[in-house]
Amino acid sequence: LHRQILYSDQDIGLKKAEVAKRRLQNLNSCIEIEAFTIKLVNSNANELICNYNIVVDCTDNLETKYLINDICYLLNKPLVFASISKFEGQVAVFNILSGSGEISGNYRDLFPFENAKPTLNCNDEGVLGILPGIIGCIQASEVIKLIVGTGEILVNKLLYYNMLKQSFNVFNY
């Protein structure tokens, strides 16, 4: 709970999606939120993702990241990816259609080996509590730029943030 600002001790045992919906609607009663309390799996991924214009990946496991990427790629849906571990975070935007009709890189272009075992695990290595907020804000800014159609989006680029050094690097791939 220390890194998830929408939740408190009183929410232990409750469904995170429902708690998040309630808290966010308390902040802005004019927004419409649909909460899903089901696990995203191969059999329901297409049906869930096809209804949205932009997909934001805030998941914490590789299997789900590859599934979301693959469905977004097949459906030509922009995907705003983020990942965090310990004191580091990454953000990228995938599946963007260029003016010439070419689609940008996707998660598999950047990380092609789905069967690779992660070297770090948040349960073992931890994540500093403020890091998800920092990376989440960067991820949200990419979504806003996509919606508004302005700015330089992280297409075919990976933003890497090191909190210990307070450094940002952007890598082309």
Short mmCIF file of all heavy atoms in Angstrom, two decimals, residues 81 83 89-92 135 138 142 154 157-161 167-171:
data_model
loop_
_atom_site.label_atom_id
_atom_site.label_comp_id
_atom_site.label_asym_id
_atom_site.label_seq_id
_atom_site.Cartn_x
_atom_site.Cartn_y
_atom_site.Cartn_z
N PHE A 81 3.21 2.28 -22.36
CA PHE A 81 3.83 1.29 -21.48
C PHE A 81 4.63 1.97 -20.38
O PHE A 81 5.23 3.03 -20.59
CB PHE A 81 4.77 0.43 -22.34
CG PHE A 81 5.95 -0.15 -21.62
CD1 PHE A 81 5.84 -1.35 -20.94
CD2 PHE A 81 7.17 0.51 -21.62
CE1 PHE A 81 6.93 -1.89 -20.27
CE2 PHE A 81 8.27 -0.03 -20.96
CZ PHE A 81 8.15 -1.23 -20.28
N SER A 83 7.13 0.67 -16.73
CA SER A 83 7.65 -0.40 -15.89
C SER A 83 8.54 0.24 -14.83
O SER A 83 9.22 1.23 -15.10
CB SER A 83 8.44 -1.40 -16.73
OG SER A 83 8.89 -2.47 -15.94
N GLY A 89 12.70 3.51 -13.60
CA GLY A 89 11.46 3.36 -14.34
C GLY A 89 11.67 3.58 -15.82
O GLY A 89 12.66 4.17 -16.24
N GLN A 90 10.73 3.06 -16.60
CA GLN A 90 10.78 3.18 -18.05
C GLN A 90 9.40 3.53 -18.57
O GLN A 90 8.39 3.09 -18.01
CB GLN A 90 11.20 1.84 -18.69
CG GLN A 90 12.51 1.30 -18.22
CD GLN A 90 12.76 -0.12 -18.73
OE1 GLN A 90 11.85 -0.80 -19.20
NE2 GLN A 90 13.99 -0.56 -18.64
N VAL A 91 9.37 4.29 -19.67
CA VAL A 91 8.11 4.64 -20.33
C VAL A 91 8.36 4.62 -21.84
O VAL A 91 9.41 5.07 -22.31
CB VAL A 91 7.59 6.04 -19.91
CG1 VAL A 91 6.30 6.40 -20.64
CG2 VAL A 91 7.38 6.11 -18.41
N ALA A 92 7.39 4.11 -22.59
CA ALA A 92 7.46 4.11 -24.06
C ALA A 92 6.04 4.10 -24.60
O ALA A 92 5.09 3.75 -23.90
CB ALA A 92 8.24 2.90 -24.58
N ILE A 135 6.67 7.88 -12.45
CA ILE A 135 6.54 7.21 -13.75
C ILE A 135 5.10 7.29 -14.25
O ILE A 135 4.85 7.48 -15.44
CB ILE A 135 7.04 5.75 -13.66
CG1 ILE A 135 8.54 5.72 -13.33
CG2 ILE A 135 6.75 4.98 -14.94
CD1 ILE A 135 9.43 6.43 -14.34
N ILE A 138 4.51 10.63 -15.88
CA ILE A 138 5.12 10.67 -17.22
C ILE A 138 4.26 9.89 -18.20
O ILE A 138 3.99 10.35 -19.32
CB ILE A 138 6.56 10.12 -17.18
CG1 ILE A 138 7.45 11.02 -16.33
CG2 ILE A 138 7.12 9.97 -18.59
CD1 ILE A 138 8.82 10.44 -16.01
N GLU A 142 2.12 11.26 -21.65
CA GLU A 142 2.15 10.68 -23.00
C GLU A 142 0.74 10.46 -23.51
O GLU A 142 0.46 10.69 -24.69
CB GLU A 142 2.95 9.37 -23.01
CG GLU A 142 4.44 9.54 -22.78
CD GLU A 142 5.10 10.45 -23.80
OE1 GLU A 142 5.08 10.13 -25.01
OE2 GLU A 142 5.65 11.50 -23.41
N LEU A 154 6.90 9.55 -27.15
CA LEU A 154 7.98 8.56 -27.02
C LEU A 154 7.75 7.37 -27.95
O LEU A 154 7.62 6.23 -27.52
CB LEU A 154 8.09 8.09 -25.56
CG LEU A 154 8.59 9.12 -24.57
CD1 LEU A 154 8.41 8.62 -23.14
CD2 LEU A 154 10.06 9.44 -24.84
N LYS A 157 11.07 5.07 -28.92
CA LYS A 157 12.01 5.56 -27.91
C LYS A 157 11.63 4.96 -26.57
O LYS A 157 10.47 4.70 -26.30
CB LYS A 157 11.95 7.09 -27.80
CG LYS A 157 12.34 7.80 -29.06
CD LYS A 157 12.16 9.29 -28.90
CE LYS A 157 12.53 9.97 -30.21
NZ LYS A 157 12.39 11.40 -30.12
N LEU A 158 12.63 4.79 -25.73
CA LEU A 158 12.41 4.34 -24.36
C LEU A 158 12.97 5.39 -23.43
O LEU A 158 14.16 5.69 -23.48
CB LEU A 158 13.09 2.99 -24.11
CG LEU A 158 12.99 2.45 -22.68
CD1 LEU A 158 11.56 2.00 -22.40
CD2 LEU A 158 13.97 1.32 -22.46
N LEU A 159 12.10 5.96 -22.59
CA LEU A 159 12.56 6.89 -21.57
C LEU A 159 12.95 6.07 -20.35
O LEU A 159 12.19 5.22 -19.89
CB LEU A 159 11.45 7.87 -21.20
CG LEU A 159 11.83 8.89 -20.12
CD1 LEU A 159 11.25 10.23 -20.47
CD2 LEU A 159 11.37 8.46 -18.75
N TYR A 160 14.15 6.31 -19.86
CA TYR A 160 14.66 5.61 -18.68
C TYR A 160 14.93 6.66 -17.61
O TYR A 160 15.60 7.65 -17.85
CB TYR A 160 15.95 4.87 -19.03
CG TYR A 160 16.72 4.36 -17.84
CD1 TYR A 160 16.35 3.19 -17.19
CD2 TYR A 160 17.79 5.08 -17.33
CE1 TYR A 160 17.04 2.74 -16.09
CE2 TYR A 160 18.50 4.64 -16.23
CZ TYR A 160 18.11 3.47 -15.61
OH TYR A 160 18.79 3.03 -14.50
N TYR A 161 14.38 6.43 -16.41
CA TYR A 161 14.55 7.34 -15.29
C TYR A 161 15.27 6.62 -14.16
O TYR A 161 14.87 5.53 -13.76
CB TYR A 161 13.19 7.84 -14.81
CG TYR A 161 13.24 8.64 -13.53
CD1 TYR A 161 13.88 9.86 -13.48
CD2 TYR A 161 12.64 8.18 -12.37
CE1 TYR A 161 13.93 10.61 -12.30
CE2 TYR A 161 12.67 8.90 -11.19
CZ TYR A 161 13.33 10.12 -11.17
OH TYR A 161 13.37 10.84 -10.01
N SER A 167 18.30 11.23 -13.02
CA SER A 167 18.66 11.37 -14.43
C SER A 167 17.60 10.72 -15.32
O SER A 167 17.00 9.71 -14.96
CB SER A 167 20.03 10.74 -14.70
OG SER A 167 19.98 9.34 -14.50
N PHE A 168 17.41 11.35 -16.45
CA PHE A 168 16.54 10.85 -17.50
C PHE A 168 17.40 10.60 -18.72
O PHE A 168 18.24 11.43 -19.08
CB PHE A 168 15.46 11.88 -17.87
CG PHE A 168 14.40 12.06 -16.84
CD1 PHE A 168 14.53 13.02 -15.85
CD2 PHE A 168 13.25 11.29 -16.88
CE1 PHE A 168 13.54 13.22 -14.91
CE2 PHE A 168 12.25 11.47 -15.94
CZ PHE A 168 12.39 12.43 -14.95
N ASN A 169 17.17 9.48 -19.38
CA ASN A 169 17.81 9.20 -20.66
C ASN A 169 16.73 8.70 -21.60
O ASN A 169 15.80 7.99 -21.17
CB ASN A 169 18.90 8.12 -20.52
CG ASN A 169 20.07 8.61 -19.71
OD1 ASN A 169 20.77 9.52 -20.12
ND2 ASN A 169 20.27 8.03 -18.54
N VAL A 170 16.85 9.04 -22.86
CA VAL A 170 15.92 8.54 -23.87
C VAL A 170 16.75 7.79 -24.89
O VAL A 170 17.74 8.32 -25.44
CB VAL A 170 15.14 9.70 -24.54
CG1 VAL A 170 14.26 9.14 -25.65
CG2 VAL A 170 14.30 10.45 -23.51
N PHE A 171 16.36 6.54 -25.12
CA PHE A 171 17.06 5.67 -26.05
C PHE A 171 16.18 5.39 -27.25
O PHE A 171 14.99 5.10 -27.09
CB PHE A 171 17.43 4.34 -25.38
CG PHE A 171 18.28 4.51 -24.15
CD1 PHE A 171 17.71 4.49 -22.88
CD2 PHE A 171 19.65 4.69 -24.26
CE1 PHE A 171 18.49 4.65 -21.75
CE2 PHE A 171 20.43 4.85 -23.14
CZ PHE A 171 19.86 4.83 -21.88
#
